[in-house]
């Protein structure tokens, strides 16, 4: 094993150009961790926030960026069961994924699904953990219910469309162009609303005959909050996972109480390995069989080499993507 490796760090808070590939000591797996030789790493919006200085890694976690990887186990720490060197895996990590090697708590490691490439496997953990947690565990989406997914063209959106459909829900989405709307329909959405040319709450009222949807998965917040609540059915759940439009807004609590609505949200990174392990167990049982059968599949927008991390960040920030941006090592 080498004693050093290359990883991507942010030199200082700023734009994509502050990202640099730097030689750094090899990580060593502690008890309960595995060391992975990374073949591909997913690029996600929390990475952009970290680069800007607004989303630091938890204490004790590498300052290198990156929250999801796919690769081969090369070493295991004490107490690790179920994985051994040579196993192909993908993993959710709290940092350090933009690198040649990465450590991951064993609870957050899943088998590399059969039939998927390294790029596709690396596109799974962050989005699938997030969607499963928020759409099903928190949002309680069930067969026969209706869901509105904002940002249907994003990595989260394309994953949520497929999983919601696979589990028998009716899916409505918003997207910013007619091309993205058409792609969302091809992926399984029943209706796609261009938020630049239509008012989504009016369209949802029309599509549901005034009832509203059971669950909304939202990454905008701010001025969407009141509009989302207007689009929720009685007893509906609004799950907020990001604040792309801002994090503060007024809420009509009286209206929420009257309609017995729930406003909630979550973030994945600060959760403990044990908590993430429960999500991983759900995914292994309910979702991994769908991936291996081809019923659902990660949508890949574009692939960059690790050496061009700035280009990968520019691509994601441009907002023209449909699906995931991934880097290969």
């Amino acid at each position: 094993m080498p004693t050093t490796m290359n990883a991507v760090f942010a030199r200082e808070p700023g734009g994509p150009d502050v990202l640099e590939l730097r030689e750094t000591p090899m990580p060593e797996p502690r008890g309960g961790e595995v060391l992975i030789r990374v073949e591909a790493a997913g690029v996600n919006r929390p990475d952009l926030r970290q680069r800007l200085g607004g989303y630091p890694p938890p204490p004790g976690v590498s300052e290198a960026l990156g929250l999801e990887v796919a690769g081969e186990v090369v070493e295991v720490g004490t107490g690790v069961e179920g994985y051994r060197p040579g196993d192909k895996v993908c993993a959710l990590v709290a940092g350090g994924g933009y690198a040649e090697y990465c450590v991951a708590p064993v609870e957050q490691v899943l088998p590399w699904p059969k039939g998927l490439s390294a790029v596709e496997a690396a596109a799974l953990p962050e989005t699938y953990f997030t969607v499963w947690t928020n759409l099903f565990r928190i949002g309680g989406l069930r067969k026969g219910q209706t869901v509105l997914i904002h940002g249907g063209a994003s990595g989260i959106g394309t994953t949520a469309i497929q999983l919601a459909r696979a589990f028998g829900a009716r899916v409505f989405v918003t997207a910013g162009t007619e091309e993205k709307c058409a792609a969302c329909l091809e992926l399984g959405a029943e209706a796609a609303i261009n938020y630049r040319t239509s008012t989504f709450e009016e369209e949802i009222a029309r599509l549901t005959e005034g009832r509203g949807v059971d669950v909304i998965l939202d990454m905008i917040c701010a001025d969407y909050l009141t509009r989302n609540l207007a689009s929720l059915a009685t007893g509906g759940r609004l799950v907020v996972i990001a604040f792309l439009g801002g994090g503060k807004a007024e809420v009509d609590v009286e209206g929420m109480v009257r309609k017995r609505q729930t406003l909630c949200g979550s973030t994945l990174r600060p959760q403990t390995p044990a908590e993430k392990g429960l999500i991983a167990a759900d995914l292994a049982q309910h979702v991994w069989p769908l991936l291996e059968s081809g019923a659902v599949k990660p949508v890949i927008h574009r692939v960059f080499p690790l050496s061009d991390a700035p280009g990968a960040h520019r691509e994601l920030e441009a907002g023209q993507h449909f699906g995931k941006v991934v880097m290969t090592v």
Side-chain angles (χ1 to χ4, degrees):
M1 294 292 293
T3 58
T4 63
M5 66 166 188
N6 290 314
V8 175
F9 296 84
R11 186 171 57 252
E12 59 190 7
D17 289 338
V18 305
L19 297 178
E20 59 184 18
L21 196 62
R22 186 188 307 167
E23 189 175 22
T24 188
M26 275 283 294
E28 296 183 4
R30 296 171 293 190
E33 294 181 336
V34 302
L35 177 64
I36 300 168
R37 180 178 60 80
V38 179
E39 296 183 35
V43 181
N44 297 281
R45 286 203 172 272
D47 302 339
L48 309 186
R49 288 181 57 203
Q50 179 174 338
R51 190 201 72 220
L52 291 167
Y55 196 46
V61 174
S62 171
E63 293 286 338
L65 283 74
L67 300 175
E68 58 184 350
V69 300
E72 180 180 339
V73 175
V74 293
E75 189 178 340
V76 300
T78 57
V80 169
E81 296 181 358
Y83 294 99
R84 60 185 180 181
D87 287 344
K88 292 286 193 174
V89 298
C90 55
L92 180 75
V93 295
Y98 291 9
E100 293 174 324
Y101 293 85
C102 179
V103 292
V106 68
E107 298 95 331
Q108 298 167 208
V109 178
L110 284 161
W112 180 326
K114 296 180 179 66
L116 296 193
S117 68
V119 165
E120 291 169 327
L124 297 176
E126 174 72 11
T127 48
Y128 277 73
F129 272 72
T130 298
V131 170
W132 184 262
T133 298
N134 292 284
L135 209 54
F136 297 97
R137 290 170 65 93
I138 296 175
L141 184 65
R142 299 186 299 276
K143 182 178 180 180
Q145 293 190 332
T146 50
V147 59
L148 170 61
I149 300 163
H150 289 300
S154 66
I156 294 290
T158 54
T159 299
I161 291 169
Q162 294 181 79
L163 288 184
R165 275 297 303 272
F167 288 97
R170 296 177 61 198
V171 182
F172 310 126
V173 303
T174 62
T177 68
E178 292 303 320
E179 291 77 14
K180 288 182 177 181
C181 285
C184 289
L185 294 174
E186 286 187 18
L187 208 55
E190 180 178 324
I193 303 163
N194 186 335
Y195 63 80
R196 299 185 191 278
T197 59
S198 302
T199 304
F200 74 79
E201 60 268 39
E202 293 179 357
E203 288 298 301
I204 291 299
R206 180 183 65 81
L207 290 164
T208 62
E209 298 180 339
R211 177 183 177 275
V213 295
D214 297 295
V215 181
I216 296 177
L217 185 65
D218 179 47
M219 56 189 73
I220 307 299
C221 199
D223 67 331
Y224 268 32
L225 189 55
T226 298
R227 301 167 66 190
N228 279 330
L229 293 173
S231 300
L232 268 187
T234 297
R237 289 84 68 195
L238 170 58
V239 187
V240 178
I241 60 171
F243 317 101
L244 298 182
K248 295 183 178 180
E250 292 187 1
V251 179
D252 178 8
V253 177
E254 182 180 350
M256 286 182 60
V257 170
R258 187 170 59 251
K259 295 180 70 176
R260 304 189 304 280
Q261 296 171 332
T262 301
L263 169 60
C264 52
S266 74
T267 185
L268 193 57
R269 194 177 198 179
Q271 295 186 45
T272 66
E275 290 169 326
K276 294 173 186 174
L278 296 175
I279 305 168
D282 275 356
L283 290 172
Q285 179 180 353
H286 300 291
V287 177
W288 254 231
L290 297 176
L291 286 162
E292 296 195 337
S293 71
V296 301
K297 191 174 183 178
V299 177
I300 307 301
H301 170 71
R302 190 172 171 186
V303 180
F304 291 79
L306 185 67
S307 58
D308 192 17
H313 275 222
R314 290 189 197 97
E315 187 72 17
L316 195 60
E317 283 182 326
Q320 300 305 308
H321 57 287
F322 185 80
K324 293 279 291 192
V325 175
V326 179
M327 293 189 296
T328 52
V329 182

